Amino acid sequence: MKRKITLKDIAKELDVSISTVSKALKNSNEIGFDTREKVQAFAKLYNYKPNNIAVSLQNSRTKHIALFIPEIVHDFFTTVLKGVEEVAHKNGYNVLVCVSNESFEKEVLSMEMFARGGIVDGFIISLSKETQLKEDYNHLIEIENQGMPLVMIDRITDKVISDKVIVDDMRGSYTAISHLINQGRKRIALITTEDYISVGSLRKKGYKKALADHDIELDERLILTINNIEDSDKAIEKFIRETTFDAVMGVNDVFAVVAMKALQNQGKKIPEDVAIIGFSDGKLLKYAAPTISAVNQHGDEMGKAAAQMLIDRLESDKEAENYKTTVITTTLIEREST
Amino acid sequence: MKRKITLKDIAKELDVSISTVSKALKNSNEIGFDTREKVQAFAKLYNYKPNNIAVSLQNSRTKHIALFIPEIVHDFFTTVLKGVEEVAHKNGYNVLVCVSNESFEKEVLSMEMFARGGIVDGFIISLSKETQLKEDYNHLIEIENQGMPLVMIDRITDKVISDKVIVDDMRGSYTAISHLINQGRKRIALITTEDYISVGSLRKKGYKKALADHDIELDERLILTINNIEDSDKAIEKFIRETTFDAVMGVNDVFAVVAMKALQNQGKKIPEDVAIIGFSDGKLLKYAAPTISAVNQHGDEMGKAAAQMLIDRLESDKEAENYKTTVITTTLIEREST
DNA sequence: TATACACACTCTAACGTTTTCGTGTTGATA
DNA sequence: TATCAACACGAAAACGTTAGAGTGTGTATA
């Protein structure tokens, strides 16, 4: 185990004090030119890198940020992570990933440990389902009280005041449904999640508004609410067997593709008999046969925006409370299914 | 900004020394029972959590591990991350994610900074393509020389001696091809990556061995090597137009699904005319129409195994060099395409 | 009554930095 | 020759913790 070289080592070797070395490496003009040169050359030669932990202890900044996501095996959150990682690294920050697995408890526990332990400087979080269901946001409020920056993304709550990055879910949904209507679809079904999930409910709102604005009467029977993700496949199949419509939107990629398969099994032609649209940043809809139109949420953009907001907050010393909410605009990707 | 409570605060408040508090919290019987009780109660009341940075500085262990992956928007690596995160958290470790984006430079730079800066205690890495192409592994060797544990996964090299977790790529491929042969397929195509990618070349080996063992003559024209991932779609379509076969295996999920679509466009029936099989842990093949058989690599198992190996190494004090290579067995998931 | 020793603490150094303040040496100025 | 900056550097405290080495009691042993 080769011990790492420290300021002390350099100091001893060059017969100067530790502070001189420290200053010389920072090119402080408090130190003579010759000494600076000498120290820097030596440090370079021995590949000296300051011990981050010591630096952190000194200025109580770790240069780490935490990203909490409910689920990692999910195209959207994956792209978010990619975006966060990119701008974090560009700014010299590292990303600690915590997957809550939709569990309130894990979210709370990890968050508290990260915060009180001084492990990270700030948080980016997308709420777990359980948290949204319980509506218990004390851990987030506690974070804020401690003065740690927090950026909420995608699955947010307005019970907590903080920076936020969201997608224009309602608008995305509205646009998608309008697109279907403009193509002459009359009976448009929606496969969605339960209302407590913020994005799901917003998408439903967009759906309803689009119908209303185009004078199509809302038929609640055309809305399928999945309450148990485990057997969503069966629920969707049953729904499709028992309901007739000429278009359907799923609030994610799996719902859309499962619906398509069920329809195809029924002998329906896509898009002739039924048009399909989903929400997704991933490959599932892109490579389906036929390819399925999608509302793209631009997870990477969200990640980038969130990371940038967080870092800005961290680097600015002002206590300012001008919290911002950035809205990422979705784009409709038209494919064969519509 | 509420300052965090420290040992010193507790000590002052309770009029004892800092060390007494420290020991009391650790339930050291060097401290009287009453004092212990008092300190612990107080700490609990004020929700004291030790400052991790100070602890890290003290024992030069950060309880952080780094996971280097070439690409995050990729089902396999996503499941790996999930596995790593799970066992890391279970053992009190945090995961720093670094996405190399297949870039040698980013891999090297990040790695050096993580190592010399004392940011993490150990590494789990899957090599970037560029690294595998260059065959320059000095950064990894350097890590090992520093005495930092390193676990290589999936995309590995035997130029570096370390713990490893791999999948039985060759065997997985062999089994898949044998499965096709047993179904009576005679002309089996392979869509693969260039040889410098370790897993791709192993899968090709398995393919060849399976053919040989079943007395099927190898026809090099049935092997398509994708050298530019950007226009793999076109390359695959061209290949399918110009080549005839009754089965095809893709070394990943996209190759398989693109091949299927191209075949279907040609009017081929799956699996009647052509059987298809891919490598994947994700949803793409599962939700394709028809569903596509897959060699499942169990990324989560790999992640778990790798994290466990790394942590074992970190927690054991012995300098032992009995490096192990864990092989995760792939499983063949038979679906409609075969 | 001297000795030993367990007990319950406190002191101190250490981890590797950064930064403020202090200090000895120059060379220039009055 | 006394005075005073400017210069180049060192000493020390601080960040929050841990752990080994003291220290001062009180009680049991010889």
Side-chain angles (χ1 to χ4, degrees), chain B residues 176-190:
Chain B
I177 298 297
S178 300
H179 167 65
L180 293 173
I181 295 173
N182 291 336
Q183 292 198 336
R185 310 290 172 169
K186 302 271 185 246
R187 283 182 63 76
I188 303 175
L190 174 71

Side-chain angles (χ1 to χ4, degrees), chain A residues 65-220:
Chain A
I65 62 181
L67 171 64
F68 278 68
I69 47 183
E71 176 58 74
I72 179 71
V73 189
H74 190 302
D75 289 323
F76 172 67
F77 291 120
T78 304
T79 55
V80 168
L81 168 53
K82 188 185 173 75
V84 169
E85 203 260 359
E86 192 179 318
V87 346
H89 275 212
K90 207 167 280 168
N91 288 275
Y93 282 79
N94 296 120
V95 183
L96 285 169
V97 177
C98 181
V99 183
S100 70
N101 274 320
E102 307 286 10
S103 150
F104 173 76
E105 197 190 345
K106 181 161 184 204
E107 188 177 300
V108 172
L109 258 39
S110 300
M111 202 141 200
E112 274 177 356
M113 118 165 236
F114 278 25
R116 321 281 311 195
I119 297 179
V120 298
D121 296 340
F123 293 86
I124 298 177
I125 183 174
S126 190
L127 297 171
S128 77
K129 279 187 191 169
E130 260 186 51
T131 308
Q132 291 205 317
L133 184 56
K134 277 180 116 95
E135 297 192 299
D136 180 347
Y137 307 115
N138 285 310
H139 50 306
L140 302 177
I141 293 165
E142 186 53 33
I143 296 293
E144 295 258 281
N145 284 345
Q146 278 183 53
M148 298 194 79
L150 167 69
V151 177
M152 304 187 65
I153 61 173
D154 197 53
R155 307 216 301 222
I156 66 169
T157 171
D158 39 75
K159 302 276 170 53
V160 176
I161 299 162
S162 75
D163 286 320
K164 287 163 192 171
V165 182
I166 51 172
V167 105
D168 57 347
D169 276 297
M170 187 168 157
R171 195 151 210 299
S173 165
Y174 182 92
T175 309
I177 298 296
S178 300
H179 167 66
L180 293 173
I181 296 173
N182 290 336
Q183 293 197 334
R185 310 290 171 168
K186 303 271 185 246
R187 285 182 62 76
I188 303 176
L190 174 70
I191 304 176
T192 185
T193 55
E194 286 185 274
D195 273 345
Y196 67 84
I197 302 196
S198 56
V199 296
S201 101
L202 284 170
R203 290 172 195 171
K204 193 202 278 187
K205 266 193 191 157
Y207 164 84
K208 289 186 176 172
K209 183 159 166 39
L211 293 185
D213 286 2
H214 292 84
D215 298 319
I216 296 182
E217 204 179 341
L218 176 66
D219 181 350
E220 289 283 355

Side-chain angles (χ1 to χ4, degrees), chain A residues 22 40 99 150 159 312 317 336:
Chain A
S22 174
Q40 288 172 13
V99 183
L150 167 69
K159 302 276 170 53
D312 286 351
D317 30 350
E336 297 164 4

Side-chain angles (χ1 to χ4, degrees), chain B residues 58-71:
Chain B
Q58 180 65 238
N59 51 214
S60 40
R61 308 283 257 40
T62 61
K63 285 270 190 176
H64 292 342
I65 62 181
L67 172 63
F68 278 67
I69 47 183
E71 176 58 75

Side-chain angles (χ1 to χ4, degrees), chain A residues 176-320:
Chain A
I177 298 296
S178 300
H179 167 66
L180 293 173
I181 296 173
N182 290 336
Q183 293 197 334
R185 310 290 171 168
K186 303 271 185 246
R187 285 182 62 76
I188 303 176
L190 174 70
I191 304 176
T192 185
T193 55
E194 286 185 274
D195 273 345
Y196 67 84
I197 302 196
S198 56
V199 296
S201 101
L202 284 170
R203 290 172 195 171
K204 193 202 278 187
K205 266 193 191 157
Y207 164 84
K208 289 186 176 172
K209 183 159 166 39
L211 293 185
D213 286 2
H214 292 84
D215 298 319
I216 296 182
E217 204 179 341
L218 176 66
D219 181 350
E220 289 283 355
R221 290 168 305 176
L222 287 178
I223 300 180
L224 169 63
T225 303
I226 303 288
N227 34 40
N228 181 356
I229 213 77
E230 299 303 320
D231 42 46
S232 59
D233 289 20
K234 276 186 212 104
I236 292 174
E237 277 161 34
K238 179 163 180 287
F239 175 70
I240 280 171
R241 240 182 292 121
E242 297 171 353
T243 325
T244 57
F245 45 78
D246 54 12
V248 56
M249 177 168 85
V251 296
N252 60 39
D253 51 359
V254 173
F255 289 177
V257 77
V258 169
M260 180 164 85
K261 294 191 71 171
L263 287 163
Q264 285 173 329
N265 284 341
Q266 273 205 345
K268 298 269 201 263
K269 289 257 173 270
I270 314 296
E272 293 80 358
D273 301 334
V274 182
I276 302 182
I277 214 161
F279 272 74
S280 168
D281 285 13
K283 292 181 290 198
L284 201 51
L285 302 186
K286 184 174 167 192
Y287 286 111
T291 57
I292 301 177
S293 297
V295 178
N296 191 310
Q297 306 163 76
H298 300 292
D300 52 339
E301 304 270 329
M302 288 188 77
K304 283 186 203 171
Q308 196 59 61
M309 281 174 100
L310 183 60
I311 291 169
D312 286 351
R313 204 46 92 184
L314 287 169
E315 316 262 91
S316 92
D317 30 350
K318 54 179 179 289
E319 191 81 14

Side-chain angles (χ1 to χ4, degrees), chain B residues 78-101:
Chain B
T78 305
T79 54
V80 168
L81 168 54
K82 189 185 172 75
V84 169
E85 203 260 1
E86 192 180 319
V87 347
H89 275 212
K90 207 166 280 167
N91 288 275
Y93 282 80
N94 295 120
V95 182
L96 285 169
V97 177
C98 181
V99 182
S100 70
N101 274 320

